[in-house]
Amino acid sequence: MEESNKTAIFFDSHSSNEAFARTAVSAFVSQLDPTVEELADIKTAVSEAVTNCIVHAYRESFGRIYITVRIKGNEVKITVKDKGIGIENIERALEPEFTTGADDERSGIGFSVMAAFTDKLSVRSKPNKGTTVTMIKKINAKSR
Amino acid sequence: MDSVNIFVKNRTMTVSICVDIDHHSSDVLRKRIDDELLAKNPKELIIDFSGVSFMDSSGIGLIMGRYKLAKSIGTVISICGLNSRCKKLLKLSSVTKFIPIKEIDNGRKQ
């Protein structure tokens, strides 16, 4: 049976925690001996997910952001969850360059980046309940 | 070290960013660059990313916003010094349709 390993962190939705979140996740994933490129992909994807929580989910408020990372074999599963305003139309939110935050110079490609930089992306959301983003990334390290 | 160094020579303003670019840091960067841009009104603006090791899509927003402001005051903008990671990110947006990416030509290693 493949061994699995899991960690969970939560933190307040301050933008100063964006760097903490991506660094913490990449530190945990490092035990799989990923390439620099793979690790950078994960850091970028996590940064996008956490930024979405801060900019959109908790736009008018502060709240907690919950991240779990599970490693199973060479697969990393990352969930980023908030209890914010939720997404009314997920399909629309996933469209490239669509953003509801037009005034704040948001590029609207957050979900496109998460999708492009990981192997699988899924988004579950309920208005006024929150959003959970799940990303799966396979690590094909040099040592395996 | 400062997160951004700005200097102007012969009406060309070079902005060298030396910090990870995310939603948190881009607020400060935006203000610094815009203040200088409006004060100096250069003919050309070059944003140098060779000091940037990490960037997420906030960097795209930062570039597009500076492009719009520069255009409104008649300044021509270009970007340079992007590592392969930043270029991969840029390809997901339409930024490169508007803004030329230059290779660094002043002898510095990328």
Side-chain angles (χ1 to χ4, degrees):
Chain A
M1 202 178 82
E2 272 181 321
E3 255 185 71
S4 75
N5 191 6
K6 190 177 170 183
T7 188
I9 50 172
F10 69 83
F11 48 89
D12 289 338
S13 61
H14 297 291
S15 64
S16 57
N17 286 331
E18 290 159 6
F20 160 72
R22 62 177 179 264
T23 309
V25 172
S26 81
F28 186 70
V29 173
S30 288
Q31 61 188 289
L32 285 180
D33 195 19
T35 62
V36 174
E37 174 112 349
E38 286 167 339
L39 213 49
D41 284 351
I42 287 173
K43 279 171 92 169
T44 311
V46 169
S47 202
E48 300 294 348
V50 170
T51 301
N52 271 355
C53 298
I54 295 167
V55 174
H56 299 293
Y58 297 121
R59 186 181 307 163
E60 312 272 334
S61 61
F62 273 104
R64 272 186 183 162
I65 299 167
Y66 304 81
I67 298 184
T68 62
V69 189
R70 201 182 69 192
I71 293 173
K72 202 173 179 187
N74 71 332
E75 199 177 86
V76 181
K77 187 177 177 183
I78 304 163
T79 63
V80 180
K81 186 177 141 188
D82 65 69
K83 294 179 178 175
I85 60 165
I87 304 169
E88 252 175 54
N89 187 338
I90 295 179
E91 219 170 280
R92 188 126 190 254
L94 292 173
E95 281 172 20
E97 307 204 336
F98 171 82
T99 181
T100 52
D103 301 339
D104 337 306
E105 290 194 359
R106 307 302 313 157
S107 64
I109 63 161
F111 279 127
S112 307
V113 173
M114 289 180 239
F117 285 33
T118 63
D119 295 305
K120 197 180 169 199
L121 166 74
S122 61
V123 183
R124 282 187 301 130
S125 189
K126 261 195 184 155
N128 300 317
K129 292 279 181 200
T131 301
T132 303
V133 169
T134 305
M135 298 177 283
I136 292 174
K137 174 92 174 162
K138 286 197 173 71
I139 303 295
N140 301 302
K142 5 160 203 184
S143 60
R144 270 188 292 273
Chain B
M1 192 167 68
D2 274 352
S3 59
V4 58
N5 293 305
I6 302 174
F7 69 91
V8 185
K9 193 180 171 188
N10 300 332
R11 295 207 65 207
T12 296
M13 187 167 119
T14 306
V15 173
S16 304
I17 302 175
C18 319
V19 70
D20 288 356
I21 304 176
D22 60 13
H23 156 247
H24 182 68
S25 67
S26 60
D27 275 349
V28 177
L29 292 170
R30 175 180 309 138
K31 190 166 185 325
R32 278 289 313 277
I33 299 169
D34 288 359
D35 286 352
E36 288 288 320
L37 189 58
L38 292 171
K40 306 277 165 55
N41 194 4
K43 209 170 151 188
E44 193 185 353
L45 168 66
I46 303 167
I47 307 180
D48 181 356
F49 289 82
S50 40
V52 176
S53 52
F54 175 86
M55 174 171 122
D56 67 17
S57 71
S58 307
I60 311 273
L62 185 74
I63 296 169
M64 282 310 288
R66 306 305 57 75
Y67 165 76
K68 284 176 193 159
L69 181 63
K71 200 179 170 196
S72 75
I73 59 168
T75 301
V76 177
I77 184 171
S78 61
I79 52 181
C80 70
L82 294 142
N83 64 24
S84 59
R85 315 278 331 138
C86 295
K87 281 183 186 163
K88 183 177 171 184
L89 191 74
L90 248 59
K91 279 187 194 144
L92 295 173
S93 75
S94 49
V95 162
T96 48
K97 279 186 211 156
F98 304 101
I99 304 167
I101 300 178
K102 285 185 178 171
E103 295 304 323
I104 288 192
D105 57 1
N106 58 2
R108 263 189 298 162
K109 275 189 185 164
Q110 212 171 318

